[in-house]
Amino acid sequence: MNGSVCIAQQPARALAAPSWQRRAARALMLAFERLWLWHERTRSRRMLLSMDDRMLQDIGVDRAAAEYEGTRPFWQ
C-alpha cells in the first residue's frame, strides 16, 4: 500500500458512531442502570418492611435490622 486507505476499511469506518455519540449512549445507559438500581432498592426495602416477625426469622433478620435497612434512603 502506498499510504492510501484500503477500500475494505471504509464501510466499517462509515458504520462506526462518532465518539460523542458513543459517550452519550454510554452515559444514558449508566443513568438508566442507576435509576433501575434505585427502583429495585426501594422495592426490596418496602418488601422487607412489610414482612412479619415469622418471615423475618425465616430469612435470618431481626426486626431492628429490617427497620434499619428498610428506612435507608434509596441512594445508599
Side-chain angles (χ1 to χ4, degrees), residues 46-57:
R46 283 183 186 157
M47 204 180 294
L48 186 63
L49 287 174
S50 71
M51 292 181 176
D52 62 18
D53 290 333
R54 183 189 55 78
M55 294 169 92
L56 290 173
Q57 185 180 10

Side-chain angles (χ1 to χ4, degrees), residues 20-33:
W20 68 269
Q21 286 179 336
R22 288 192 304 271
R23 287 193 308 268
R26 178 77 176 143
L28 187 61
M29 186 175 68
L30 289 173
F32 179 76
E33 287 174 358

Side-chain angles (χ1 to χ4, degrees), residues 32-48:
F32 179 76
E33 287 174 358
R34 179 64 51 100
L35 288 172
W36 185 256
L37 173 66
W38 288 348
H39 169 74
E40 286 298 309
R41 283 182 186 167
T42 301
R43 187 186 63 78
S44 63
R45 288 175 180 170
R46 283 183 186 157
M47 204 180 294
L48 186 63

